[in-house]
Amino acid sequence: MPIACGQTISQPYVVAYMTEQLGLRPHHRVLEVGTGSGYQAAVLSRLAREVVSIERYRTLAGKARERLASLGYDNVEVVAGDGFAGMPEKAPYDRIIVTAAAEEVPQALVDQLADDGVMLLPLGPHGGAQHIVKLTKSQTGVTRDNLIAVRFVPLLPGQAQEL
């Protein structure tokens, strides 16, 4: 479904599927890349201790921040910024979820993932076949599992100039 700034909100099934694949626990800290309307962040906030959500569009970040606060989601911090960079000052994260498609795994996000952490992201060419990929980080490296086929808006670097 379209929202402001040419972005979309994921189907409820995809939100539920990705949330389930994260294997969230009440003590987890989660980084979400791509706040959008705040829908996924609201779901995550009820399953994890803390959610930090990054949105490249200031308009979407501001509206989501207001919406989540007015609904009592007090363990979500929404920031406007570059999703590729993540929020290293608050790392490590137990779980990272990216809600826009990357053509390659962003190394900066992998670096912010805690040992035994899980990252989910749509991976594949923009406008082409994409799959949700599950990355699990351990002391010996990162393992990758390809999950379901999807189509997401592209993950773009930087903070958008659009309001």
Side-chain angles (χ1 to χ4, degrees), residues 25-43:
R25 299 291 177 251
H27 65 278
H28 283 161
R29 296 181 65 249
V30 179
L31 174 65
E32 176 192 31
V33 176
T35 310
S37 69
Y39 174 51
Q40 177 80 64
V43 171

Side-chain angles (χ1 to χ4, degrees), residues 41-90:
V43 171
L44 296 169
S45 77
R46 292 304 179 232
L47 301 170
R49 175 173 55 94
E50 179 185 359
V51 177
V52 176
S53 187
I54 301 173
E55 174 55 56
R56 74 183 308 260
Y57 292 98
R58 287 176 299 173
T59 300
L60 291 177
K63 287 181 180 178
R65 187 180 305 113
E66 290 171 12
R67 183 178 299 115
L68 291 163
S70 73
L71 294 171
Y73 294 94
D74 57 1
N75 63 335
V76 179
E77 178 184 359
V78 177
V79 295
D82 182 350
F84 273 100
M87 290 280 295
E89 61 273 20
K90 294 187 177 267

Side-chain angles (χ1 to χ4, degrees), residues 84 98 100-110 119 121-126 133 135 144 155:
F84 273 100
V98 182
E103 293 185 303
E104 295 180 11
V105 175
Q107 187 60 46
L109 297 181
V110 174
M119 180 165 63
L121 73 158
L123 196 60
H126 299 158
V133 171
L135 302 174
R144 174 180 165 166
L155 179 64

